[in-house]
Amino acid sequence: MRVEVHLDKCIGSGVCALVAPDVFDQRDDDGVVILLAEHPPAQHQEAAYEAANRCPASVIEIHTNRWPRYRRPASP
């Protein structure tokens, strides 16, 4: 698994850091996501998927061998 974030679209909600604190953190000044683990170990992968699913700005992409991309669909 490889995690990718789009910093320019992050709104700093902090959901990712709450759901997957071993994979994501936030900058102190503006709350924008910090990717701590581009290739998270197996025990943190489910949390990374959950963070991608719950991100209100859909800035987290999960790349795997089984699925080329996972990205939560944008809200209508």
Side-chain angles (χ1 to χ4, degrees):
M1 162 189 278
R2 183 174 66 82
V3 179
E4 179 181 2
V5 295
H6 300 278
L7 299 177
D8 59 324
K9 296 179 180 159
C10 180
I11 62 171
S13 74
V15 172
C16 57
L18 291 172
V19 171
D22 294 305
V23 181
F24 305 100
D25 199 354
Q26 289 181 277
R27 295 192 305 217
D28 290 332
D29 58 339
D30 58 5
V32 170
V33 64
I34 298 170
L35 182 60
L36 300 175
E38 182 180 358
H39 300 280
Q43 68 266 28
H44 300 302
Q45 291 182 4
E46 187 62 34
Y49 277 115
E50 181 68 19
N53 189 45
R54 294 180 59 186
C55 176
S58 300
V59 303
I60 301 169
E61 290 189 42
I62 305 291
H63 302 269
T64 69
N65 291 335
R66 294 182 2 202
W67 298 285
R69 287 185 130 166
Y70 170 81
R71 187 173 186 180
R72 187 174 142 255
S75 300

